[in-house]
Amino acid sequence: MDVDTAFLYGNLEEEIYLKQPEGFVDPTKPTLVCRLKKSLYGLKQAPRVWNKTIDDYLTRNGFTTVPSDPCIYIGTQERVIIFLYVDDLLIAATLSLLKNTKALLTKRFKMKDLGEATSLLGMEIIRDRSKKTLVLRQSGYIKDILACFNMSDCKPIATPLDSNLQLPQLDKDTPCDDSFPFRQAVGKLLYAASGTLPDISFATSLVSRYLSAFTAREWAVVKRILRYLKATINLGLLFDGSIENRTTLCGYSDSDWGGDPADRKSTTGYLFQLCGAPISWSSKKQSTIALSSTEAEYIAATQTAKEALWLRAFLKELGYPQNTTVIHEDNQSCIALAKNPIYHSRTKHFDIKAHFIRERTASGEVSLQYCPTGEMPADMLTKALPKPQFEKLRYISGIRTTSPQLILKEGIE
């Protein structure tokens, strides 16, 4: 559902005046101004006023917001879930409740009924009810990116980064070559990576470190990511509703050690799955230098546990309470340290906040379990990998082919 002229529904609390609009000036009172009663597009407070308007209406009619995400509304009497993004609404309900919910919304707001969801925020939704599968992908958005940078006919490549790539940190005074649309490309890639493409998360995180100073070398890395998108345009997140324990949250945590040659900081990578596909992931450089691989993995496990707690609360509020959430980890020392809070001279310097994982393990909310590095999908979020390993971990993570044509094979390096 889409709300027509959503911002015009809200009543302003502030006292705001504007000049008489051109073509509607009162000739007898040309010096007077108009006082706004309703919000208008362009006002800073217009989005907030609209949100308050629809929030009040839904709350009065039996809906309540989810504490973990105020943009999600759940019916208190009957099971209806409404996802709100500005003036776009995605509704999940049985057919009879769906009809009632639409009637409720159209009673107050003029809305467009766009039918069963096939796209949202640049993401394509491909549903197969017979197989109980749902795919999210961004092939249309990727085509737009490639066309924007004249890369529609580029030669595809199998990985987003060369596994031997080394990008030294540039001096902040390095002049940027503005002939390359570097910042524009990175911005578009970051949106894609946050939507349905965890496989380019590390690559986009890496190039985004050069937004203040970049050269032709960094632009060549961005072009390689675009070539990878050309090769994998039909990949998407495949959610399988027929698998066992489909509503059980599963996490993966990993870290490299001192992977940034400029400051020797490590990178945290985590990924969570539901119904066999990623629902949350991150690739982010750690804020402090780790003195060992154990410390780097321990910091990463703490960040992963924090995300796990939010997801657990969110799923519980949606009606899917979780038992202990398993977080897979490929470092045995990290697992032992989280389970056994012993004093050790080599770990006494760890930041207090890093021991958060130890407390949550003791409470039973999360549990670290060993996973071999070769089976660790979060590994592709921390470093550039060779083609065979990268493709294997990408498959394990739940990123699958969504077209009979499979992935482009010809010409991939």
Side-chain angles (χ1 to χ4, degrees):
M1 306 279 291
D2 177 65
V3 185
D4 288 339
T5 59
F7 287 2
L8 304 184
Y9 284 99
N11 294 313
L12 287 174
E13 297 177 355
E14 298 84 3
E15 195 171 302
I16 299 178
Y17 298 90
L18 78 161
K19 295 179 181 179
Q20 295 181 53
E22 186 176 348
F24 294 89
V25 177
D26 186 345
T28 62
K29 302 174 182 177
T31 60
L32 294 187
V33 294
C34 301
R35 179 179 177 180
L36 281 179
K37 294 183 178 180
K38 298 282 188 178
S39 63
L40 286 179
Y41 285 82
L43 291 178
K44 292 182 178 179
Q45 59 268 62
R48 171 60 182 154
V49 173
W50 155 244
N51 180 262
K52 186 176 185 299
T53 300
I54 192 170
D55 177 79
D56 291 342
Y57 184 70
L58 291 174
T59 303
R60 290 198 312 269
N61 286 276
F63 286 87
T64 180
T65 56
V66 172
S68 299
D69 191 329
C71 292
I72 306 292
Y73 293 82
I74 296 183
T76 54
Q77 302 298 326
E78 298 175 300
R79 186 154 181 78
V80 179
I81 301 176
I82 298 178
F83 162 75
L84 175 67
Y85 187 86
V86 190
D87 58 353
D88 293 318
L89 292 90
L90 195 64
I91 307 171
T94 61
L95 291 178
S96 59
L97 293 177
L98 181 61
K99 183 178 180 180
N100 295 337
T101 304
K102 288 181 179 180
L104 174 68
L105 291 168
T106 54
K107 184 179 179 180
R108 173 68 176 85
F109 307 106
K110 184 180 179 182
M111 309 189 77
K112 294 177 184 175
D113 186 348
L114 303 178
E116 185 172 356
T118 57
S119 64
L120 183 72
L121 304 179
M123 294 183 289
E124 300 160 35
I125 304 171
I126 306 170
R127 190 171 186 177
D128 188 331
R129 293 180 183 273
S130 63
K131 296 181 180 179
K132 295 185 178 180
T133 61
L134 188 146
V135 173
L136 296 179
R137 70 179 189 183
Q138 292 173 282
S139 59
Y141 181 70
I142 293 173
K143 290 178 182 178
D144 291 341
I145 295 177
L146 294 174
C148 180
F149 302 104
N150 300 317
M151 298 282 286
S152 298
D153 298 321
C154 66
K155 186 177 181 181
I157 198 165
T159 58
L161 292 175
D162 183 350
S163 58
N164 297 317
L165 176 68
Q166 291 289 334
L167 281 180
Q169 185 67 40
L170 296 175
D171 190 282
K172 291 185 178 180
D173 296 329
T174 301
C176 296
D177 190 340
D178 292 329
S179 63
F180 304 119
F182 184 82
R183 294 188 181 96
Q184 183 184 6
V186 172
K188 290 181 178 294
L189 290 173
L190 285 171
Y191 182 76
S194 65
T196 64
L197 300 173
D199 46 333
I200 66 168
S201 289
F202 175 72
T204 53
S205 174
L206 179 64
V207 294
S208 65
R209 301 170 191 174
Y210 295 87
L211 292 175
S212 61
F214 56 86
T215 63
R217 179 183 55 198
E218 288 71 39
W219 174 240
V221 178
V222 171
K223 290 176 66 177
R224 182 187 174 101
I225 300 174
L226 294 174
R227 292 173 60 198
Y228 170 75
L229 293 182
K230 170 73 173 180
T232 58
I233 197 167
N234 289 321
L235 288 184
L237 309 183
L238 176 61
F239 296 88
D240 189 348
S242 64
I243 64 175
E244 187 178 359
N245 299 323
R246 61 185 182 275
T247 60
T248 300
L249 186 65
C250 177
Y252 296 88
S253 174
D254 192 37
S255 174
D256 70 340
W257 179 34
D260 191 322
D263 54 19
R264 309 310 299 178
K265 291 181 180 179
S266 308
T267 299
T268 291
Y270 66 70
L271 182 143
F272 286 92
Q273 290 179 328
L274 209 61
C275 294
I279 62 168
S280 177
W281 57 86
S282 175
S283 177
K284 185 177 181 181
K285 190 162 70 171
Q286 295 177 2
S287 58
T288 59
I289 297 176
L291 300 182
S292 65
S293 60
T294 298
E295 183 177 1
E297 296 278 3
Y298 198 63
I299 295 172
T302 294
Q303 295 300 319
T304 307
K306 289 163 59 178
E307 183 70 7
L309 291 183
W310 176 77
L311 287 170
R312 283 170 56 86
F314 185 44
L315 289 170
K316 182 179 180 181
E317 291 155 3
L318 291 179
Y320 300 98
Q322 301 288 305
N323 295 321
T324 300
T325 298
V326 174
I327 298 176
H328 296 87
E329 168 65 53
D330 63 359
N331 186 287
Q332 295 279 23
S333 299
C334 173
I335 296 174
L337 189 61
K339 293 181 178 179
N340 186 17
I342 59 174
Y343 173 83
H344 198 287
S345 60
R346 286 179 290 183
T347 62
K348 64 181 182 179
H349 68 280
F350 285 11
D351 197 337
I352 292 176
K353 66 180 180 181
H355 295 301
F356 177 82
I357 180 66
R358 180 180 291 172
E359 180 184 69
R360 298 304 175 175
T361 300
S363 69
E365 293 169 284
V366 300
S367 173
L368 295 184
Q369 292 188 13
Y370 179 71
C371 173
T373 301
E375 306 292 328
M376 170 59 69
D379 195 35
M380 68 178 181
L381 301 174
T382 65
K383 61 182 73 68
L385 297 172
K387 176 184 173 182
Q389 181 65 4
F390 178 80
E391 291 182 341
K392 175 184 177 181
L393 297 182
R394 185 181 65 193
Y395 184 86
I396 293 174
S397 71
I399 305 172
R400 308 289 173 83
T401 301
T402 61
S403 169
Q405 297 176 343
L406 303 181
I407 310 174
L408 295 175
K409 294 294 184 183
E410 298 181 1
I412 296 182
E413 298 177 0

